Amino acid sequence: MKKIKLSLVSYLNTFPFLSGIEKSGFINPEWIEIVLETPSQCAKSILSGSSDVGLLPIGAYLTTDQSKFEVITDYCLGAENEVKSVLLLSDIPLEKIKTICLDSQSRTSNLLVQVLAHEYWNLSAEFISSEEKVTNVEVAKLLIGDRALEKRNHFRYSYDLAKEWFDFTSLPFVFALWVAKKEIAGRIEDALNKSIKFSEDKISELLHYYNFPNVITFEEAYAYLTRDMSYSLTHKKKEAIERFSNLVVKNNLV
């Protein structure tokens, strides 16, 4: 039987998913192939059909034909408030920022920072790719994932986009959803739910197997995964997805 190809984001925040799949015993390793990628690569793999199941960033989910796949599991990548790993970093205060360098690894966060700039901060900034040359000092940089955790103390000002979204909307934020090809969804959803629940219940024990980068301690990682990240796909999170979708359309970002 051909292996099911599963795409996961290669950041610390997906540890409960990866460890559950690998350690719970609910998913036979003989029939699944796990590929670790950046969020943008995950989106490309899923939307091209090269992956059968995986984490689809909300930015891609909102801007593609959703009939190609099914949303599965009771889980997502989300945050109730401050998340610490999706940051706008700068050496000048927010109101003085003229240029924002977007993150090539995340369409979702790029959309979120533009929505916040237009709808909440009332900020008239130029948005450029991270590869473009910056010609002024009134600049901020968007970073996500483990790179944000690493660089968060290297700048004078740090704006947490999940917290800014909550302050603006009083809603949590969803960064990615589990999706699967329609012919695969029924075969894997229950096993994924059980695997992730297993990991949630044993997160402290399982974290001892994780190879931590120098920038974060075990205690910080545990707090990040159990307090800052929020994985249950609740009604409020579904409401947040709809609100974000409406604002993306309103601001002509698709």
Side-chain angles (χ1 to χ4, degrees), residues 25-75:
F26 289 112
I27 295 179
N28 187 338
E30 295 296 320
W31 56 266
I32 196 163
E33 175 190 355
I34 300 172
V35 181
L36 299 178
E37 304 177 294
T38 66
S40 59
Q41 290 168 337
C42 267
K44 184 177 180 180
S45 295
I46 293 167
L47 297 181
S48 69
S50 66
S51 285
D52 303 299
V53 59
L55 277 176
L56 182 64
I58 284 295
Y61 172 75
L62 296 178
T63 56
T64 193
D65 180 4
Q66 296 170 15
S67 67
K68 294 180 179 179
F69 46 77
E70 287 187 18
V71 176
I72 61 169
T73 84
D74 302 324
Y75 298 94

Side-chain angles (χ1 to χ4, degrees), residues 78-87 149 152 158-167 171-173 175 223-230:
E80 294 290 338
N81 196 315
E82 186 178 48
V83 73
K84 292 191 174 67
S85 57
V86 181
L87 304 176
L149 293 173
R152 65 191 189 278
S158 175
Y159 301 95
D160 189 303
L161 296 198
K163 182 182 187 306
E164 295 291 321
W165 169 261
F166 178 82
D167 290 345
L171 290 169
F173 193 79
F175 293 98
Y224 171 63
L225 294 174
T226 59
R227 183 187 63 203
D228 303 320
M229 293 300 303
S230 178

Side-chain angles (χ1 to χ4, degrees), residues 48 75 89 106 124 178 189 195-196 199 221 242:
S48 69
Y75 298 94
L89 301 168
S106 175
S124 297
W178 278 100
E189 181 172 21
S195 297
I196 298 167
S199 180
E242 183 175 359

Side-chain angles (χ1 to χ4, degrees), residues 117-182:
H118 297 321
E119 294 286 331
Y120 183 48
W121 298 333
N122 194 27
L123 186 67
S124 297
E126 178 187 11
F127 297 94
I128 65 172
S129 71
S130 56
E131 291 78 19
E132 291 183 56
K133 186 176 180 180
V134 179
T135 57
N136 66 62
V137 295
E138 298 162 322
V139 64
K141 187 172 187 177
L142 177 63
L143 282 181
I144 68 163
D146 295 357
R147 292 170 303 133
L149 293 173
E150 178 183 355
K151 300 291 186 181
R152 65 191 189 278
N153 296 321
H154 292 196
F155 293 79
R156 290 181 62 192
Y157 297 92
S158 175
Y159 301 95
D160 189 303
L161 296 198
K163 182 182 187 306
E164 295 291 321
W165 169 261
F166 178 82
D167 290 345
F168 171 44
T169 65
S170 299
L171 290 169
F173 193 79
V174 176
F175 293 98
L177 292 168
W178 278 100
V179 303
K181 291 179 179 177
K182 291 183 179 296

